[in-house]
Amino acid sequence: APGPRVTSLNERIDEALGMLGRLVAFAVATVVVVFIAGIALKPVFPSGVPAGVEGRVLLALIIAFALVVAHVIVVAMLERAEWTLSGFHARAWRPVGLALGLGAGAVAILIPGGALYLTGQLASSDSVTGAWWPFALGTLGVFAAVAASEELIFRGYLFGLLEHRWGRRSALGVTSVAFAAMHLFNPGATAVSLASVA
């Protein structure tokens, strides 16, 4: 449920600054955890994150891990362990809800992917380096880790904080626009593709 109604301009400014401060704390906590993970992994990867798919998967997993830790730190310290603000509460882990989310995500990927494949805009090709499935699994790993990170950024603490203060519709609108804006510099981004992402 939204927080108490804010009426005066000063109260609105105070609320916005408080939310901004919490989001900055969240970002700083994420960066610190990524930095610590980099130090911890230095003996394993002395020359840095490896190139190629393996490196992209590792980097995406490090970022996802850092985001989870940042959620725990910020919600525990700044929000008095109000886990509904992060999405890490008991209701979020119900098997039916998880299955519905997984099914909705699969449909959202399979329908456009199938349409692209059937219209010839998506095709498989032979690999000169060998079997395609290791590359496909690695790519799936990258996308899964990146998707998890994006969900943690836009549908985790940010969404919970906005929902608590402004209501669910406002939180959904703001995070959807922010998510689309993050894709503004993707190769070939257009108004239609950004609207689809939003």
Side-chain angles (χ1 to χ4, degrees), residues 11-186:
E11 287 176 322
R12 288 181 189 276
I13 291 170
D14 286 346
E15 179 187 46
L17 289 174
M19 289 173 62
L20 181 62
R22 286 170 153 74
L23 294 174
V24 167
F26 176 72
V28 167
T30 303
V31 169
V32 168
V33 175
V34 168
F35 181 73
I36 292 170
I39 292 170
L41 290 171
K42 189 71 172 167
V44 181
F45 302 105
S47 57
V49 175
V53 174
E54 297 84 7
R56 290 195 301 262
V57 170
L58 177 63
L59 188 59
L61 288 173
I62 290 169
I63 292 170
F65 172 75
L67 286 163
V68 169
V69 173
H71 273 85
V72 171
I73 291 169
V74 171
V75 172
M77 293 178 71
L78 298 181
E79 305 296 350
R80 299 187 187 120
E82 180 58 51
W83 297 110
T84 55
L85 291 176
S86 66
F88 299 153
H89 52 89
R91 282 190 344 257
W93 296 99
R94 290 188 205 162
V96 172
L98 291 172
L100 286 172
L102 182 63
V107 166
I109 291 169
L110 292 175
I111 288 178
L116 289 171
Y117 183 76
L118 291 173
T119 58
Q121 297 179 57
L122 180 67
S124 62
S125 62
D126 293 330
S127 171
V128 294
T129 59
W132 63 269
W133 64 269
F135 175 78
L137 286 177
T139 303
L140 179 63
V142 170
F143 285 133
V146 168
S149 295
E150 289 175 346
E151 290 300 315
L152 286 165
I153 292 169
F154 294 101
R155 296 291 189 244
Y157 182 60
L158 172 62
F159 185 89
L161 194 61
L162 292 171
E163 180 183 30
H164 179 71
R165 300 293 198 278
W166 298 344
R168 180 166 287 189
R169 286 184 181 162
S170 295
L172 187 59
V174 169
T175 56
S176 296
V177 169
F179 182 70
M182 187 183 80
H183 292 79
L184 188 61
F185 300 104
N186 282 6

